[in-house]
Amino acid sequence: MDLKQSVDTIFPQYQQALKRLVEIPSVLDENGVKPFGKNIQKALEEVIAISEELGFRTFTDPEGYYGYAEIGDGEEMFGVLGHMDVVPQGDLSAWNSNPFELTERDGFLIGRGTSDDKGPTLAAMFALKLLLDEGYELNQRVRFIFGTDEESLWRCMKAYVAKEEIPSKGFTPDSSFPLIYAEKGLIEFTLTSHQVSDVDLVCDGALNAVPSTASTSYDEAVIEALQSLDYPYHIEGDRIISEGVAIHAKDADKGQNALVHLAEALHKAGKTNDLIKFIVEKLSNPNGTLIYGDVEDEVSGKLMLNVGTANFKENIQTVGIDIRFPVTYPVETVKEKLNKAAHQYEIVVELFDYLKSIYIDKDSDFIQSLMGAYQDITHDTVSEPITSGGATYARAMDNVVAFGALLPTGVKTEHQANERISIADMKVAMEVYAQAFRNIVIK
């Protein structure tokens, strides 16, 4: 079959399905219906509806933690793991279009979730669909598993693993090609100070994204400090809004942290307390060098530290941090050094979440089947399997790896304003997924 032609034929249907999902602002809301809010539930229901339209058998967890779509027969099951939740839009003024409306411009599809992870999940589904439409038959069941809490605590996958059948192997289309064989450890903490303080600092968002904004009450001294530090800001009513550059926490040293910038300005202006001092003196370096020194390994690179959230009140101040540490660096050392540093500032450290690192043999038959599919379609025999600081569902189950959908020449835009996918690149990704399915699950 001509895969390229088949992808071109099915792509408008894919784009329409993606439009339906992007229009749902499926951001975590723990005060809403079901476990994660009405919009995440709506997105789960919508992807299930799309799956049924494509001919899949479906199931939705009655509690709302996950759903899946399955096709084929047999004892063995291949899994594809994707998620329907997204991070918040961030600074709306940084977007060139509505983040929750699929916009086509200059060869891109733009909107929150286009690259992380609604777009890639649907691309894999439609890749399998086009094979079945051509008359190919499966040698096993294929199950697309839809998570709802990937951007937070992975409670969706924990519920799935506790209650459902586990695939013998699979992939998650939630990273980069050619293939991710190692992922850094991920650990997140809540830091709390009970100092009586009138310092005002607010930063809402996700721990796994460098914040693009943070705010404090209007104060001329803080404005002067921001100006002297050459940090961008603007005024909204009676609030000073510090401006940064959002990026995924796994690449924290490539962003500009608005929260850290504002903390430094507050400190410089004399508006400080123990937690402000701790941010400035111990957390401000995105590679964590002020606590850990230079931490790096050959397999997975440098440690990354992101100060992601803050909520300061008169007698309780909290900050949330996200740390991605190299696969050879012990998690106990991460905890011990943070606790030791925080103790000096009378700050309480509480574990919020932890995902162990993964490291998989690059020479296994499964990995080689996926790499072969990528190379057959792209003719790229130079790119090697890579490591990542991202946390994908590959950690949720054994024998699952991160596979696409971003090509090596593509631009990473997940968690950023104007999140987008290249139409041309996504078509190539669909061809790669189709070829991978042919290599593994087709008779």
Side-chain angles (χ1 to χ4, degrees):
M1 66 180 295
D2 185 338
L3 269 182
K4 186 177 186 303
Q5 182 177 341
S6 296
V7 168
D8 286 340
T9 299
I10 207 169
F11 199 83
Q13 187 181 354
Y14 160 83
Q15 186 169 331
Q16 183 59 34
L18 180 57
K19 178 179 184 294
R20 291 161 59 181
L21 290 181
V22 169
E23 287 176 350
I24 303 170
S26 48
V27 175
L28 178 65
D29 174 12
E30 295 189 75
N31 296 316
V33 300
K34 295 292 186 179
F36 310 125
K38 66 178 183 180
N39 285 323
I40 286 181
Q41 181 66 22
K42 185 177 178 182
L44 178 60
E45 292 170 356
E46 191 67 24
V47 76
I48 289 293
I50 291 168
S51 302
E52 291 173 351
E53 292 164 15
L54 294 177
F56 288 81
R57 304 182 297 272
T58 64
F59 173 81
T60 304
D61 172 45
E63 295 181 273
Y65 282 90
Y66 61 86
Y68 62 76
E70 184 176 292
I71 200 162
D73 300 294
E75 291 187 10
E76 190 174 6
M77 182 180 74
F78 187 89
V80 180
L81 286 63
H83 64 91
M84 293 298 108
D85 60 314
V86 297
V87 296
Q89 65 188 25
D91 181 6
L92 185 57
S93 67
W95 286 80
N96 297 324
S97 54
N98 185 338
F100 297 109
E101 180 179 312
L102 188 68
T103 303
E104 183 176 347
R105 185 171 62 247
D106 300 328
F108 291 89
L109 297 176
I110 305 163
R112 182 61 87 218
T114 50
S115 70
D116 182 24
D117 179 43
K118 294 172 179 179
T121 300
L122 285 181
M125 287 188 71
F126 276 84
L128 182 60
K129 170 65 173 173
L130 69 85
L131 292 177
L132 300 178
D133 286 349
E134 291 285 344
Y136 285 87
E137 296 182 6
L138 296 169
N139 61 21
Q140 60 189 281
R141 288 175 292 138
V142 178
R143 178 178 290 184
F144 288 83
I145 302 167
F146 309 117
T148 55
D149 187 38
E150 195 271 351
E151 301 292 1
S152 183
L153 293 173
W154 287 29
R155 288 162 288 189
C156 51
M157 282 299 111
K158 293 168 186 174
Y160 179 92
V161 169
K163 297 193 285 187
E164 302 289 349
E165 181 181 359
I166 306 301
S168 59
K169 54 182 171 289
F171 67 78
T172 177
D174 193 19
S175 191
S176 303
F177 286 123
L179 185 137
I180 309 297
Y181 74 97
E183 294 184 8
K184 289 178 181 175
L186 184 158
I187 194 162
E188 295 174 332
F189 298 95
T190 300
L191 311 180
T192 304
S193 172
H194 288 279
Q195 182 182 14
V196 176
S197 169
D198 62 357
V199 176
D200 176 22
L201 176 59
V202 176
C203 181
D204 297 320
L207 289 178
N208 59 359
V210 172
S212 61
T213 62
S215 74
T216 189
S217 51
Y218 187 89
D219 189 291
E220 289 289 347
V222 177
I223 291 174
E224 290 176 10
L226 284 165
Q227 291 173 343
S228 69
L229 292 166
D230 199 25
Y231 290 153
Y233 70 94
H234 66 274
I235 307 299
E236 290 184 8
D238 62 351
R239 306 289 294 175
I240 302 170
I241 311 299
S242 171
E243 300 172 1
V245 178
I247 198 165
H248 197 291
K250 67 185 176 64
D251 301 311
D253 59 2
K254 295 180 175 63
Q256 296 292 328
N257 194 310
L259 193 167
V260 170
H261 288 179
L262 188 53
E264 290 176 345
L266 286 163
H267 187 61
K268 185 176 180 67
K271 311 292 182 179
T272 194
N273 58 27
D274 290 341
L275 197 45
I276 290 288
K277 291 177 184 176
F278 190 63
I279 294 171
V280 173
E281 296 173 4
K282 296 297 181 181
L283 302 178
S284 56
N285 183 281
N287 297 119
T289 58
L290 300 173
I291 293 176
Y292 299 104
D294 293 322
V295 175
E296 182 177 8
D297 69 16
E298 187 175 346
V299 172
S300 53
K302 292 179 178 290
L303 182 147
M304 297 287 169
L305 188 157
N306 179 52
V307 188
T309 63
N311 186 7
F312 281 34
K313 298 179 181 178
E314 183 179 356
N315 56 6
I316 182 170
Q317 303 90 43
T318 62
V319 160
I321 65 171
D322 176 300
I323 299 174
R324 314 288 169 119
F325 57 95
V327 297
T328 59
Y329 195 71
V331 65
E332 291 306 321
T333 304
V334 176
K335 296 177 184 177
E336 289 168 6
K337 291 195 172 186
L338 178 64
N339 275 295
K340 183 177 180 180
H343 180 72
Q344 301 171 24
Y345 296 76
E346 298 184 349
I347 290 169
V348 177
V349 178
E350 295 177 278
L351 178 66
F352 182 72
D353 195 21
Y354 167 59
L355 297 171
K356 66 179 182 180
S357 60
I358 60 170
Y359 182 61
I360 299 174
D361 184 2
K362 293 188 290 184
D363 297 323
S364 68
D365 290 342
F366 176 45
I367 299 298
Q368 291 305 307
S369 293
L370 295 176
M371 283 296 298
Y374 170 78
Q375 292 169 347
D376 287 346
I377 297 301
T378 65
H379 308 294
D380 173 12
T381 57
V382 176
S383 299
E384 294 286 340
I386 55 180
T387 65
S388 172
T392 73
Y393 279 158
R395 304 171 194 251
M397 304 172 195
D398 292 337
N399 300 315
V400 175
V401 297
F403 185 51
L406 184 70
L407 293 171
T409 54
V411 178
K412 295 181 180 180
T413 61
E414 73 271 25
H415 296 203
Q416 299 179 43
N418 300 304
E419 178 182 342
R420 60 197 178 273
I421 54 174
S422 159
I423 292 173
D425 285 1
M426 189 53 72
K427 287 182 177 181
V428 173
M430 289 176 71
E431 289 185 59
V432 173
Y433 289 137
Q435 185 64 38
F437 286 132
R438 285 206 295 194
N439 288 353
I440 299 169
V441 301
I442 295 295
K443 290 181 180 178

